[in-house]
Amino acid sequence: MTARSTSRPLVVVGGMFSLIGAVVTVVYIFQPWRSCEYEDSSTGCSMLPVDAAVMMAAMVATVVGLVLLAVGLILGSRERSGFL
């Protein structure tokens, strides 16, 4: 497999993982569906353990996506420069 055929899927998959992971993380930070009697804003309400697990998985997916994106971009630039 050449670098060109490897770098493009890495960039696409990495970009999708990082984008979806970042969106889910931000949504779980603000928790728009949550309401509690002791706080005016939904952001101040306590997070449930399942919500915390989903948010942690989304943060890990964001980091993994960024790593895949960086590797794909590096491989693509090496291929364009004729290094590989």
Side-chain angles (χ1 to χ4, degrees), residues 13-61:
V13 170
M16 292 303 293
F17 263 64
S18 59
L19 178 66
I20 292 170
V23 168
V24 170
T25 300
V26 169
V27 167
Y28 270 83
I29 286 173
F30 291 114
Q31 306 180 68
W33 61 89
R34 180 126 13 254
S35 65
C36 52
E37 65 276 352
Y38 57 87
E39 187 65 40
D40 297 359
S41 150
S42 62
T43 308
C45 296
S46 299
M47 184 178 276
L48 298 175
V50 174
D51 293 343
V54 170
M55 186 172 156
M56 183 62 69
M59 292 189 310
V60 169

